Amino acid sequence: MADILTMGVDLGSTTSKCVILRNGADTLSSAIAQAGAGTGGPARAVAEALDKAGLTRPEITAVTATGYGRNTFAGADFVVSELSCHAAGAHAVFPEARTVIDIGGQDAKVLRTGPSGTLENFIMNDKCAAGTGRFLDVMARVLELDVSELAQYDARAESAVTISSTCTVFAKSEVISQLAGGVDLCALIAGIHASVAVRTASLVKRLGLVPPLAMTGGVAQNAGVVRALEKELGQPISVSPIAQLNGAYGAALYAWKKLGKDD
Ligand code: ADP
């Protein structure tokens, strides 16, 4: 029988992701473009994923669009909320997880997933940059670091500086004045991570903490945030190896299931 190829495209607020699956199981290729919905990012992610797999668009049987900009994607066979796609993607990687924490570029979500991976409940912060990737991006820029470098400084911290402002703009001023005062950089970064952890933990507690916990989204790649969150919640967190691609992966799985090949 011919292979069934499905594609998931996640049009995020800051990045665009694409995953191509063969028969709902093997990941043939994936791509991340550093530009989100409403830009050339989605088309670039799709073109790169197709190119890496040596495929053309007509060879893809079905495409699911998800994420913040999902309704702007032309040529989707299915359009599905990122909440369902993140739940499906996380369930495929960690079937035992009951609480999935997803921190992206502009929002943070906590999902309660059922034993079969369906979304049972969720809570979301999309109103405030604090507690999202945006907060970390702003702080990294002030510190003249790339966001991917923050975790290695955190790992060397012997203490954490308290960041008392919850607002990103005021917290940024606080960080600038700490730097001017000659604060230890590692302790400052640990404090920035602790501040994200406190915000995220309060979302988790509002939904209800049901272990085991898993984490997805771009910020899951920051081991400093994960560690701070584990400390805040008193629970271990499994980090998805496809953190940033999880929504696109769940979307490609959704297309596969819709085609009825997983019955
Ligand atoms: P969205 O889907 O909303 O576009 P993502 O899930 O792609 O968001 O997450 C983007 C965020 O992930 C960025 O704001 C950044 O803070 C964080 N991030 C991206 N790459 C890395 C990395 N290599 N290490 C740590 N954090 C990262």
Side-chain angles (χ1 to χ4, degrees):
M1 223 174 73
D3 286 334
I4 302 287
L5 306 179
T6 59
M7 176 187 278
V9 187
D10 181 357
L11 297 92
S13 60
T14 51
T15 62
S16 305
K17 285 79 68 176
C18 180
V19 169
I20 300 175
L21 286 185
R22 177 169 54 206
N23 300 328
D26 314 321
T27 302
L28 290 188
S29 69
S30 63
I32 301 175
Q34 299 301 325
T39 71
R44 282 207 301 283
V46 168
E48 191 186 328
L50 285 169
D51 190 51
K52 280 186 188 165
L55 293 166
T56 56
R57 174 67 184 82
E59 290 174 275
I60 305 294
T61 316
V63 179
T64 302
T66 189
Y68 177 68
R70 62 190 177 277
N71 292 316
T72 64
F73 187 76
D77 299 286
F78 310 107
V79 177
V80 183
S81 114
E82 66 265 38
L83 296 165
S84 305
C85 289
H86 275 295
H91 178 75
V93 179
F94 299 116
E96 69 291 350
R98 289 294 164 268
T99 304
V100 179
I101 300 163
D102 180 275
I103 311 184
Q106 275 183 27
D107 63 23
K109 324 180 232 303
V110 183
L111 318 178
R112 164 75 16 73
T113 47
S116 60
T118 49
L119 179 68
E120 290 184 343
N121 201 359
F122 74 96
I123 190 164
M124 186 163 177
N125 161 31
D126 58 357
K127 299 279 180 279
C128 169
T132 74
R134 179 97 186 110
F135 181 86
L136 295 162
D137 298 344
V138 167
M139 296 309 169
R141 215 163 300 133
V142 170
L143 302 173
E144 296 184 284
L145 293 171
D146 188 85
V147 78
S148 62
E149 296 176 292
L150 296 176
Q152 68 205 51
Y153 286 88
D154 180 302
R156 299 203 299 272
E158 284 168 11
S159 59
V161 168
T162 303
I163 310 283
S164 42
S165 308
T166 46
C167 165
T168 304
V169 177
F170 291 135
K172 181 180 168 187
S173 307
E174 212 177 315
V175 165
I176 290 169
S177 80
Q178 290 276 6
L179 280 175
V183 72
D184 174 64
L185 185 59
C186 297
L188 181 58
I189 291 172
I192 290 168
H193 291 162
S195 149
V196 172
V198 167
R199 306 280 294 190
T200 312
S202 94
L203 276 184
V204 173
K205 287 171 191 162
R206 272 163 60 200
L207 186 71
L209 201 176
V210 180
L213 302 176
M215 189 162 168
T216 64
V219 175
Q221 298 170 101
N222 182 332
V225 171
V226 178
R227 228 180 358 257
L229 195 48
E230 285 180 323
K231 194 169 155 213
E232 199 61 37
L233 292 170
Q235 287 285 333
I237 299 173
S238 302
V239 175
S240 173
I242 55 159
Q244 207 166 4
L245 290 166
N246 182 64
Y249 178 65
L253 276 178
Y254 179 91
W256 166 256
K257 286 183 184 152
K258 275 292 180 197
L259 293 172
K261 301 295 173 190
D262 197 30
D263 294 337

